[in-house]
């Protein structure tokens, strides 16, 4: 590896380290958790935080800017998600190559949470309002060498909740290593590094800054790749409340064991891709399942699935998950290559 290439890799890793140091100095609760919601069916179906699966779909670069590349040239992607309750999310993204080894993308994402009844401090009904968040993003990625790629996304966030508004700036910084000979992909990134530039009130709301690493590996000659993603790596303890098994010997309580903490950091996935036109994936997020333990979780809690199909210059993807019995979520992606019209 020559000196300029080493320098580029070290620059990306140094940026990640500085982001981690900023995060470790923070405490308190985070807001803007919608920034952790994927907008691609591939990411959502593979557990929600997959950062290493390789795809030439413009939508699939949403979780890691290091996955964006010249292969997305002139692609337009549209996404829609029916989330919990009356929440509906939608967005559009466009990507273009910048020379032989670089690419850029721009997108806008809308998060709507339905109508909520408003009251004053005395509990008097003041009408209904529709809280919403708007995310505008710009991404640039560059091939560091034949197998390493790095990228960064700048995100502007505008929030409107009744008569209150706020703004924030954030960035994602990521790298990806991909070896097509061994069908192995490794990624590392810092997500949501930034802060508010306009507050709702006197309180400062923190962004959900996170450090993530993950890999995807093909299984021999089989058209199957497995993925493991580690997230929430800035803190070890992720305790949760479990209700127990209903017996007198297990009445529930706070669970904070080594095993539960370990698996609440990990997301597992498998992707079946028999050809370039079709794929089917499943994911398992143990944190999602255990977070739902105090609610009416179903057998499917923590599991997710996705499927994608491409025909000529059009692509469609769908994803499904059911965190608990009262919340079935559905996502759809559409993409097309404009230069082929």
């Amino acid at each position: 590896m020559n000196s300029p290439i080493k320098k580029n890799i070290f620059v990306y890793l140094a940026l990640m380290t500085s982001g981690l140091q900023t995060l470790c100095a923070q405490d308190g609760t985070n807001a803007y958790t919608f920034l952790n919601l994927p907008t691609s069916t591939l990411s959502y179906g593979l557990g929600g935080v997959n950062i290493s699966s390789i795809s030439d779909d413009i939508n699939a670069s949403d979780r890691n800017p290091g996955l964006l590349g010249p292969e997305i040239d002139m692609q337009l992607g549209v996404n829609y998600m029916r989330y919990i309750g009356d929440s509906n999310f939608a967005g559009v993204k466009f990507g273009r190559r910048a020379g032989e080894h670089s690419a850029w993308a721009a997108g806008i994402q809308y998060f709507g949470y339905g109508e909520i009844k408003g009251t004053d401090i005395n509990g008097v009904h003041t009408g209904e309002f529709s809280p919403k968040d708007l995310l505008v993003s710009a991404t640039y990625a560059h091939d560091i060498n034949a197998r390493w790629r790095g990228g960064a996304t700048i995100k502007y966030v505008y929030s409107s909740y009744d008569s209150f508004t706020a703004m924030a700036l954030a960035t994602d910084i990521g790298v990806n290593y991909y070896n097509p000979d061994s069908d192995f992909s490794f990624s590392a990134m810092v997500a949501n590094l930034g802060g508010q530039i306009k507050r709702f009130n006197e309180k400062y709301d923190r962004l959900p800054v996170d450090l993530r690493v993950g890999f995807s590996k093909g299984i021999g000659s089989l058209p199957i790749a497995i993925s493991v993603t580690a997230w929430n790596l800035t803190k070890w303890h992720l305790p949760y409340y479990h209700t127990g098994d209903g017996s007198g010997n297990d009445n529930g309580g706070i669970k904070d064991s080594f095993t539960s903490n370990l698996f609440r950091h990990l997301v597992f996935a498998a992707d079946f891709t028999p050809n370039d036109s079709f794929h089917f994936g499943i994911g398992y997020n143990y944190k999602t399942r255990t977070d739902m333990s105090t609610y009416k979780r179903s057998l499917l809690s923590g599991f997710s699935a996705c499927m994608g199909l491409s025909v000529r210059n059009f692509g469609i993807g769908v994803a499904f998950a059911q965190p608990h019995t009262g919340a079935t979520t559905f996502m759809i992606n559409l993409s097309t290559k404009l230069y082929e019209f």
Side-chain angles (χ1 to χ4, degrees):
M1 185 181 293
N2 60 41
S3 178
I5 292 175
K6 283 184 178 180
K7 180 179 179 181
N8 284 331
I9 293 177
F10 291 155
V11 167
Y12 283 111
L13 294 179
L15 288 170
M16 289 184 183
T17 303
S18 65
L20 178 58
Q21 291 172 343
T22 301
L23 172 62
C24 291
Q26 295 179 352
D27 55 13
T29 59
N30 293 325
Y32 298 94
T33 54
F34 63 88
L35 292 174
N36 287 326
L37 289 172
T39 58
S40 79
T41 55
L42 180 64
S43 298
Y44 193 54
L46 298 184
V49 291
N50 185 287
I51 63 171
S52 57
S53 291
I54 303 298
S55 174
D56 60 358
D57 184 353
I58 181 66
N59 295 296
S61 64
D62 71 325
R63 292 295 86 193
N64 181 5
L67 296 176
L68 186 73
E71 62 274 5
I72 57 83
D73 188 32
M74 292 297 292
Q75 271 201 51
L76 178 69
V78 179
N79 68 82
Y80 169 78
M81 184 178 190
R82 175 68 176 181
Y83 201 55
I84 297 172
D86 294 327
S87 300
N88 291 276
F89 310 147
V92 60
K93 180 182 288 186
F94 175 76
R96 184 75 187 271
R97 68 183 300 165
E100 295 183 3
H101 301 287
S102 303
W104 61 266
I108 185 169
Q109 194 73 23
Y110 171 82
F111 302 84
Y113 309 105
E115 292 188 346
I116 297 177
K117 292 183 178 179
T119 61
D120 60 20
I121 58 176
N122 297 314
V124 178
H125 182 58
T126 59
E128 296 183 343
F129 66 98
S130 300
K132 60 185 71 70
D133 294 297
L134 186 68
L135 170 66
V136 180
S137 65
T139 302
Y140 178 80
H142 179 72
D143 292 338
I144 302 170
N145 63 15
R147 294 181 177 176
W148 280 96
R149 177 178 291 174
T153 298
I154 298 176
K155 300 183 286 190
Y156 165 78
V157 182
Y158 174 81
S159 302
S160 175
Y161 302 161
D162 197 8
S163 60
F164 300 93
T165 61
M167 292 181 285
L169 287 176
T171 184
D172 296 341
I173 304 170
V175 294
N176 173 258
Y177 168 86
Y178 178 58
N179 185 340
D181 297 329
S182 60
D183 196 12
F184 175 76
S185 170
F186 169 81
S187 291
M189 67 171 296
V190 171
N192 306 318
L193 178 64
Q196 279 187 309
I197 55 177
K198 181 182 182 297
R199 306 180 185 184
F200 285 111
N201 46 38
E202 293 80 12
K203 180 186 176 184
Y204 178 80
D205 293 318
R206 303 186 185 280
L207 272 62
V209 188
D210 191 19
L211 175 65
R212 302 167 185 171
V213 297
F215 73 87
S216 299
K217 178 69 174 69
I219 304 177
S221 60
L222 298 176
I224 298 175
I226 59 171
S227 299
V228 179
T229 307
W231 64 315
N232 286 314
L233 295 182
T234 59
K235 52 187 175 183
W236 168 251
H237 292 280
L238 296 174
Y240 70 97
Y241 182 84
H242 71 109
T243 57
D245 58 12
S247 67
N249 297 325
D250 187 1
N251 295 321
I254 300 297
K255 194 166 185 178
D256 193 17
S257 66
F258 174 85
T259 302
S260 68
N261 281 312
L262 174 63
F263 281 95
R264 278 168 65 81
H265 283 285
L266 301 176
V267 177
F268 303 91
D271 195 20
F272 173 66
T273 311
N275 53 58
D276 294 337
S277 300
F278 176 81
H279 79 88
F280 174 80
I282 57 174
Y284 178 66
N285 189 322
Y286 181 72
K287 185 177 185 300
T288 297
R289 184 169 181 82
T290 50
D291 283 345
M292 293 295 105
S293 63
T294 56
Y295 301 92
K296 294 181 179 179
R297 72 182 183 191
S298 69
L299 179 65
L300 298 178
S301 294
F303 290 94
S304 55
C306 63
M307 182 175 65
L309 178 68
S310 60
V311 179
R312 300 185 67 180
N313 62 319
F314 288 98
I316 182 172
V318 293
F320 165 88
Q322 188 182 61
H324 64 86
T325 55
T328 299
T329 61
F330 175 80
M331 179 186 292
I332 184 170
N333 281 173
L334 299 174
S335 64
T336 186
K337 300 177 181 178
L338 298 180
Y339 66 86
E340 293 190 7
F341 281 96

